[in-house]
Amino acid sequence: MSESAQATVGYDELAALKFVALEGGRTGPVKVSCSGLADRLAASTQTASRRLQRLDEAGYVERDVVSDGQWVSLTESGEAALHREYADYRRIFESESADSVELTGTVTSGMGEGRHYISLPGYQAQFEERLGYEPFAGTLNVELTEESVRARAAMASLEAVPIDGWEDEDRTFGPATCYAATVRHAGQSFETAHIIVPERTHHDESQVEIIAPEKLRDELGLDDGDDVTVVVEAV
């Protein structure tokens, strides 16, 4: 998803996204007419059409335009956006909102992106200062279950540790967010860990990268395909 596409998705577009989801767009394509959407959003037909187009450009929906309307379905990114909204409303209306998120998945081999990312000096200094440790030169990659892909959106409601972007003589490096986490496997747990979410990444919502001061594969005896539970907590 491009930065320009992200910028076009605001509250108005999310209202259109919610409409598509309520019509059944989470489970498959639903028929949407711009006039019907316009009535629901109290907007003009042209405005309703633009909102669907922006959702499409941002990768939140998939559309098939036909003569009398369009078939629209939510993508994983679109569903994740609604989960983030849901997490915010939980914080508003629930007196005892959740202060942790539990994710499950399987260990996978990464693409080496995390190892390169955390080894850069502009990040290393911030990790040591803000997380309190120097991360092991590599990340634990976890492929989430479908349920956890949906649940991870609730992480956005938890307080986390920001890692600032920086630049050197050659290029600019983007910011990231670190969420405190405990990794559990086969009755063992490692508490001093963080899920790191770079602003720019090749991973989609189905994968998380975890950093820690030790090599988690060795500490917990992990191999590819092993099941793990990651409990994410507010800092």
Side-chain angles (χ1 to χ4, degrees):
M1 185 189 311
S2 69
E3 292 183 5
S4 59
Q6 285 182 348
T8 64
V9 176
Y11 291 114
D12 291 338
E13 285 73 33
L14 289 175
L17 186 67
K18 182 177 72 172
F19 170 79
V20 174
L22 289 171
E23 291 295 299
R26 287 182 59 211
T27 57
V30 293
K31 189 74 168 291
V32 176
S33 70
C34 288
S35 59
L37 178 59
D39 289 341
R40 291 291 298 269
L41 301 179
S44 69
T45 302
Q46 292 80 4
T47 297
S49 177
R50 283 196 299 271
R51 291 178 186 175
L52 286 176
Q53 183 178 350
R54 288 169 181 168
L55 290 170
D56 190 3
E57 291 171 349
Y60 285 2
V61 300
E62 292 181 348
R63 296 188 301 155
D64 181 16
V65 180
V66 294
S67 59
D68 58 344
Q70 45 197 302
W71 291 91
V72 187
S73 61
L74 267 67
T75 64
E76 286 187 2
S77 295
E79 189 165 337
L82 289 181
H83 271 283
R84 288 192 290 271
E85 291 296 296
Y86 170 68
D88 286 343
Y89 281 115
R90 285 187 61 193
R91 295 180 65 191
I92 294 171
F93 292 110
E94 294 184 9
S95 57
E96 294 183 2
S97 59
D99 57 2
S100 66
V101 177
E102 184 170 301
L103 307 174
T104 58
T106 56
V107 175
T108 69
S109 294
M111 299 180 293
E113 178 182 1
R115 176 185 294 273
H116 171 70
Y117 189 88
I118 66 175
S119 66
L120 297 172
Y123 294 126
Q124 279 279 8
Q126 294 185 69
F127 292 145
E128 293 183 35
E129 176 185 352
R130 300 181 185 184
L131 305 184
Y133 62 84
E134 177 182 346
F136 170 78
T139 61
L140 180 70
N141 294 267
V142 177
E143 182 79 21
L144 299 177
T145 63
E146 288 187 12
E147 182 178 354
S148 290
V149 171
R150 295 189 292 269
R152 73 170 288 172
M155 284 170 42
S157 68
L158 301 177
E159 292 185 17
V161 179
I163 303 296
D164 299 329
W166 55 284
E167 59 183 52
D168 60 17
E169 295 179 354
D170 299 320
R171 58 169 291 189
T172 298
F173 298 89
T177 305
C178 290
Y179 295 89
T182 297
V183 184
R184 297 174 180 168
H185 170 69
Q188 302 181 79
S189 64
F190 194 98
E191 297 182 358
T192 309
H194 289 81
I195 290 179
I196 183 166
V197 183
E199 183 178 89
R200 298 193 289 260
T201 178
H202 293 103
H203 292 310
D204 59 23
E205 297 289 324
S206 67
Q207 296 187 45
V208 294
E209 288 187 289
I210 303 170
I211 61 175
E214 308 293 338
K215 186 177 182 180
L216 289 172
R217 283 178 177 263
D218 291 347
E219 293 295 315
L220 297 175
L222 295 170
D223 293 310
D224 282 359
D226 283 347
D227 294 330
V228 295
T229 298
V230 185
V231 181
V232 190
E233 300 178 315
V235 295

